[in-house]
Amino acid sequence: MRIHNRLVGPEYPPLVIAEIGINHGGDLTVAKRMIELAAHAGAEVVKHQTHFIDDEMTPAARGIFPPNDPRPIWDVIADSALSPGEEIELKRFAEAEGLIYLSTPFSRSAASFLDGIGVPAFKIGSGELSNVALLRHICGFGKPVIVSTGMHSVDDVAVAVDICRSSGVEYALLECTNLYPSPPECVSLRGVLDLQQAFPEAVIGFSDHSIGPYMALAAVAVGASIIERHFTDSRYRHGPDITASMDPAELRLIVDRSREVWLARRNPKQRSSEEDAVFAFARSSVVADRELEPGTVLSEADLWARRPGNGEIPGSQYDSVVGRTLLVRKAKNDFIAWSDIG
C-alpha cells in the first residue's frame, strides 16, 4: 500500500507511526513539541486523534469510566480534544517537519473533516472496527485505511475487510491489545501471524501498548510491516495513555532496530560473501594425525580434522578418506589431498 509517498509492505522497511493521540491534553503547544521531537527521533508518520465529541458519543458516556483514568470517558475526551482550527495548524506543523500526518476519526463528522483537510490515509481504532456505518463512510473517501483489530476475532476482522475490499481501498490490519499498558501475557505476537494467514493480501502490522520496545521489535521479526506506538515527550506527564507511550529515546531505538530486524528477517539461510574470510579459517581440513608411511590404509586412528579450512579436503569429507590407501609420506598435521590417496 502507499501512504502519501511512502510504500508500505513486507518488501519495505517497517513504517513506525508515533501516535501523539491525546497525550497533549488539549494543549496545541505541547502537541507541536511532541511532533517536533518525534520528527527528530526518526518517525516518518505522526498520528493524532480527532474528536468531535457531540457526534462521537451520547450523553450516556458521562457515566462511563475507562479503566485507566478516574474521569468519565466524556470528560477525558473533552479535556483532550483540539478544535478544528488547532488541528489544521497541527497538521501544517507536522508536514513542515517532514512528517506524514494521520489521525483517527471517532465520528462521521471527524472523518469528513479529516478528508477535507487532505489527510492521505485514515487510521481506524480497534473500537471502530465493528462500526460498519463509520467504516463504510471512511472507505467511501477512497483513501488507504489502517485498521487496528484489538478485542476482535478473525471473523470480526473479516467483516471489516469485506468493507475495505468492496470499497476498493488499500488497507492494513494491525494486531493490537487494548490494555494500557498491555502485560506480556495478554500481548499476541501470534496475532500477527494469524492475520497474515487469514488475509494474505493485506499489509499486516502491530499496534503496541506494552512497556518497552521489545514487543514491537519482536513483531517486526514475525512479519509486521507497520509499528504504531503512543508517543510522549515525557513519561512524567499525566494522561490515560502515558504509561503505554514511548519517549523520544525509545522511538529512535525502535526506528533504528526495527530496520535491522527487518533486514535480518529477509536474509535466507546461506553463507554470505562477508563471511568468506571467516569461513576460510573457521572450518576444518582433513589432516594426518600421526606420522604415516605410503601404503597405509587410512583408519580413524590415522586421521583428524583441524583448522584452518584451506586444505583440499574439508572436514565434512572425513568419512570419504577413511579406508583409502595413502600414496605419499605424511607428517602429523599435514593436509591430506585427493591426489595423496588411492
Side-chain angles (χ1 to χ4, degrees):
M1 66 187 299
R2 179 187 292 272
I3 300 176
H4 187 48
N5 58 356
R6 176 59 150 89
L7 292 171
V8 185
E11 63 271 36
Y12 303 101
L15 179 69
V16 178
I17 300 174
E19 180 180 359
I20 290 172
I22 58 173
N23 280 347
H24 51 71
D27 188 322
L28 179 61
T29 300
V30 172
K32 287 181 175 180
R33 176 60 176 161
M34 289 180 177
I35 283 178
E36 183 179 40
L37 290 172
H40 292 171
E44 296 180 74
V45 177
V46 66
K47 192 189 79 66
H48 191 236
Q49 294 180 10
T50 303
H51 295 283
F52 293 172
I53 193 166
D54 289 327
D55 194 33
E56 180 177 325
M57 304 184 207
T58 70
R62 298 180 185 273
I64 302 296
F65 293 80
N68 55 349
D69 197 285
R71 297 168 292 173
I73 189 61
W74 181 288
D75 292 348
V76 171
I77 299 306
D79 292 344
S80 303
L82 296 181
S83 70
E86 288 174 324
E87 178 140 17
I88 291 171
E89 186 175 344
L90 187 66
K91 178 176 181 288
R92 289 173 178 164
F93 183 83
E95 291 170 346
E97 290 289 324
L99 295 168
I100 299 171
Y101 182 89
L102 302 181
S103 188
T104 299
F106 290 84
S107 64
R108 177 172 47 191
S109 57
S112 297
F113 165 76
L114 289 172
D115 181 62
I117 66 172
V119 294
F122 289 93
K123 169 67 197 303
I124 311 297
S126 293
E128 284 61 56
L129 178 146
S130 56
N131 186 339
V132 295
L134 179 58
L135 187 56
R136 286 196 191 101
H137 180 70
I138 293 170
C139 288
F141 297 120
K143 297 177 179 179
V145 295
I146 302 171
V147 185
S148 280
T149 64
M151 306 178 292
H152 291 87
S153 68
V154 169
D155 288 341
D156 295 331
V157 176
V159 175
V161 167
D162 285 343
I163 293 173
C164 296
R165 287 172 176 163
S166 62
S167 300
V169 299
E170 294 181 326
Y171 64 96
L173 304 172
L174 307 187
E175 169 57 27
C176 181
T177 301
N178 287 87
L179 294 172
Y180 305 82
S182 300
E185 60 268 25
C186 296
V187 174
S188 178
L189 292 174
R190 177 177 167 178
V192 175
L193 301 173
D194 289 345
L195 289 173
Q196 288 173 335
Q197 182 176 6
F199 310 102
E201 76 288 356
V203 173
I204 304 300
F206 188 69
S207 182
D208 184 22
H209 297 136
S210 64
I211 293 177
Y214 310 108
M215 293 299 177
L217 297 177
V220 175
V222 298
S225 297
I226 298 172
I227 294 296
E228 177 189 66
R229 277 179 62 88
H230 286 271
F231 177 79
T232 181
D233 58 341
S234 169
R235 291 197 179 95
Y236 292 98
R237 289 193 175 277
H238 295 287
D241 297 332
I242 296 296
T243 57
S245 296
M246 57 184 174
D247 62 11
E250 189 172 320
L251 171 56
R252 168 55 70 182
L253 185 150
I254 289 175
V255 168
D256 292 344
R257 300 292 89 80
S258 67
R259 288 182 173 239
E260 293 175 357
V261 172
W262 170 77
L263 284 169
R265 189 188 77 210
R266 292 162 55 85
N267 291 330
K269 175 56 183 163
Q270 63 184 30
R271 186 173 73 250
S272 66
S273 59
E274 289 80 2
E275 293 175 290
D276 286 344
V278 177
F279 186 66
F281 74 79
R283 64 174 184 150
S284 61
S285 303
V286 177
V287 299
D289 202 32
R290 61 186 183 87
E291 298 284 339
L292 297 173
E293 297 296 326
T296 301
V297 177
L298 297 170
S299 69
E300 292 187 9
D302 302 318
L303 302 168
W304 197 243
R306 294 188 175 94
R307 288 181 172 186
N310 57 339
E312 185 176 325
I313 303 178
S316 60
Q317 296 294 311
Y318 175 87
D319 290 341
S320 299
V321 181
V322 174
R324 304 284 287 273
T325 300
L326 185 64
L327 303 178
V328 296
R329 180 176 287 104
K330 289 291 181 180
K332 184 176 180 178
N333 284 329
D334 281 351
F335 291 130
I336 305 294
W338 292 115
S339 60
D340 296 333
I341 55 179

